[in-house]
Amino acid sequence: MKKIVVIGGGYGGVSFAKEFSKYNLDAEVYLIDKNPYHFLQPEVYNFIANKYLISDVIIDLSTLAQGLGKSVYFFKEKIVNIDFDRNTVIGERYGLQYDYLVLAVGSRTFFPPIEGLRKHASGVKTLTRSLEFKQKFEQKILKKIQEGEKCYIERDKQFNIVVGGAGLAGVEIAAEMAYYAQKFFERIGFLCEGLSITLIEAADTILPGQHPFVLETAYRRLKSLGVNIITGKKIVKVEQDKVILEDRTEIKLDFLIWTGGIIGSTLIPRLGIKMNRKNQAIIDKFFRVEGYDNVFAIGDCAEIIDPYTGQIIPPTAQIAIQSGEIVAKHIKSLIEKRELKLKKPEFKGMVSALGGKYGVGMIKNSVKIKGYPAYIFKELVFKHYKIPLKVISKKGYKDLVKR
């Protein structure tokens, strides 16, 4: 019986396990992650803005594996190294041999060497970081309310949130926080906004590289929500109460959220495999790690290149999902001793949440949507992925309870 070890329970790893479980093969899948849950990271902004509970953005990996069938197993473990010569993954507590290995370890927030950035900024790539930010934010808001006599309408008494990086993640969180802030103060009866949200981007525009329609719609929406937008200026220093820009402009700071790009998992550099400057594994057109025919890398931890154009495919959840499904088919072909068929992930478009029931998107780079229709479309896409996993997880839960 073949053993397939999948390291990482994110979008890529889960999609691989889900797809491979459909095949009636003499093989077992061992899904390994240091956390016992699959974190639906693209929905973190709804969690931070109190639209969702924790239970809405995580799926238990043990019950999911159980629900996928007897050939899929989950182990909670932190992998520290891999012995490629002996086909063994090495964890903190044990080792596990494999016939095929799938690296799906994802990415983490990239913090450039800006003085004070790591010390004073929060990322939101993990559930722990997101929950920490949510709690600290609400604690500081409560403290501001308790300290104020009536209302801190004066600018020097406002609660100042700075979002560093105006890519999709930065724009989404700035919009959601601005919308949440408006509703928060409206609900408790405050006669002032109380929050100042500043979005800072080093490039000349927000959402660099996005279609002008997406950019313009997002810009107008952010301005309507009262977000201060600064572009074309780099952050050069962060202190406890302020952000300093390259032109020496100082922005008051109570909380800094950093969304300025990603870098590969800390595991990748320890493996001795070839990688790019973002610590992503270099792979061939079949997702095999360079130098190893039985080792694959999928999702954010891999540099995925379109074999027809030579262009790098941006790391997104949809690409991670598709790469997991494709590699499941590749390993099926290898087990059945059939030739691998070239297949690449297809970027089907994007939809960005812009606060409340409002969004913007481009479907297949041609269909433009914005406002409430875009919001509904995003919700449907999310539910299309999430609901089947929840159903599988519930089935696994019932099976485990019966034991």
Side-chain angles (χ1 to χ4, degrees), residues 67-78:
L68 287 173
K70 295 181 179 179
S71 63
V72 180
Y73 305 91
F74 170 70
F75 291 99
K76 181 180 179 295
E77 173 67 306
K78 182 177 180 180

Side-chain angles (χ1 to χ4, degrees), residues 348-368:
K348 299 177 181 178
M350 56 75 63
V351 184
S352 177
L354 294 176
K357 296 181 179 181
Y358 194 99
V360 63
M362 291 282 294
I363 303 171
K364 294 186 176 180
N365 295 321
S366 59
V367 180
K368 304 172 183 177

Side-chain angles (χ1 to χ4, degrees), residues 36-300:
Y37 52 78
H38 170 39
F39 177 39
L40 304 171
Q41 198 271 331
E43 298 304 309
V44 67
Y45 313 111
N46 287 326
F47 171 64
I48 289 172
N50 283 324
K51 288 183 182 179
Y52 290 159
L53 302 173
I54 289 182
S55 58
D56 294 316
V57 294
I58 61 172
I59 294 172
D60 181 77
L61 288 173
S62 294
T63 56
L64 181 67
Q66 178 69 27
L68 287 173
K70 295 181 179 179
S71 63
V72 180
Y73 305 91
F74 170 70
F75 291 99
K76 181 180 179 295
E77 173 67 306
K78 182 177 180 180
I79 302 302
V80 296
N81 210 337
I82 298 170
D83 187 334
F84 293 108
D85 294 330
R86 298 181 180 179
N87 288 352
T88 303
V89 296
I90 303 166
E92 290 183 334
R93 295 174 296 169
Y94 60 82
L96 184 65
Q97 288 191 314
Y98 61 84
D99 293 291
Y100 299 98
L101 174 64
V102 181
L103 299 173
V105 291
S107 62
R108 55 199 170 95
T109 302
F110 171 62
F111 288 90
I114 297 172
E115 184 181 349
L117 181 62
R118 273 191 173 274
K119 181 178 180 181
H120 299 294
S122 293
V124 290
K125 284 285 291 180
T126 67
L127 178 59
T128 301
R129 288 285 190 180
S130 301
L131 182 59
E132 181 184 63
F133 164 71
K134 184 177 184 294
Q135 291 174 334
K136 284 185 177 179
F137 168 69
E138 292 178 345
Q139 286 170 357
K140 286 201 173 188
I141 286 289
L142 178 60
K143 185 177 180 181
K144 283 282 188 180
I145 291 173
Q146 290 172 332
E147 289 175 349
E149 293 182 5
K150 292 184 178 179
C151 174
Y152 45 95
I153 194 167
E154 299 93 342
R155 181 163 294 277
D156 62 343
K157 293 183 180 180
Q158 284 184 320
F159 185 86
N160 300 286
I161 295 177
V162 175
V163 180
L168 285 173
V171 165
E172 282 193 329
I173 201 164
E176 289 291 356
M177 292 308 299
Y179 182 83
Y180 168 67
Q182 284 187 359
K183 293 300 176 183
F184 176 85
F185 286 100
E186 182 180 299
R187 285 174 187 146
I188 63 175
F190 270 42
L191 297 176
C192 58
E193 293 179 4
L195 258 77
S196 171
I197 299 177
T198 302
L199 180 63
I200 302 174
E201 170 59 49
D204 292 332
T205 178
I206 65 169
L207 298 174
Q210 291 293 333
H211 191 279
F213 167 76
V214 174
L215 190 158
E216 292 164 10
T217 302
Y219 185 86
R220 288 196 297 269
R221 174 63 172 174
L222 289 168
K223 296 302 287 185
S224 72
L225 291 170
V227 176
N228 306 311
I229 301 173
I230 299 175
T231 57
K233 295 180 182 179
K234 294 180 181 178
I235 296 174
V236 295
K237 187 177 181 181
V238 181
E239 297 182 0
Q240 184 174 355
D241 60 350
K242 62 186 174 183
V243 167
I244 302 172
L245 306 183
E246 58 184 335
D247 64 355
R248 313 314 300 173
T249 299
E250 296 184 358
I251 309 296
K252 287 194 174 185
L253 172 68
D254 286 286
F255 221 101
L256 172 61
I257 308 164
W258 182 255
T259 65
I262 63 169
I263 191 169
S265 162
T266 56
L267 178 63
I268 298 297
R270 296 201 298 267
L271 302 182
I273 60 177
K274 190 173 181 181
M275 59 185 186
N276 64 12
R277 60 185 180 84
K278 292 185 177 181
N279 292 354
Q280 294 171 306
I282 301 298
I283 57 175
D284 67 11
K285 61 184 179 181
F286 297 114
F287 295 86
R288 293 176 297 200
V289 172
E290 189 170 299
Y292 302 96
D293 291 338
N294 65 336
V295 180
F296 298 79
I298 58 178
D300 289 7

Side-chain angles (χ1 to χ4, degrees), residues 14-15 18 38 40 59 64 68 384-394:
V14 165
S15 294
K18 181 171 177 283
H38 170 39
L40 304 171
I59 294 172
L64 181 67
L68 287 173
H384 178 72
Y385 175 79
K386 176 183 173 180
I387 291 175
L389 293 184
K390 285 287 189 181
V391 170
I392 294 169
S393 182
K394 285 182 179 179

Side-chain angles (χ1 to χ4, degrees), residues 1-5 16-17 20-30 68-73 98-100 328 331-336:
M1 178 174 287
K2 299 296 183 183
K3 290 186 177 180
I4 304 160
V5 172
F16 174 92
F20 197 85
S21 69
K22 299 175 184 177
Y23 309 143
N24 186 24
L25 296 173
D26 188 24
E28 295 176 329
V29 175
Y30 294 86
L68 287 173
K70 295 181 179 179
S71 63
V72 180
Y73 305 91
Y98 61 84
D99 293 291
Y100 299 98
I331 293 180
K332 177 178 183 289
S333 295
L334 290 173
I335 292 173
E336 296 174 339

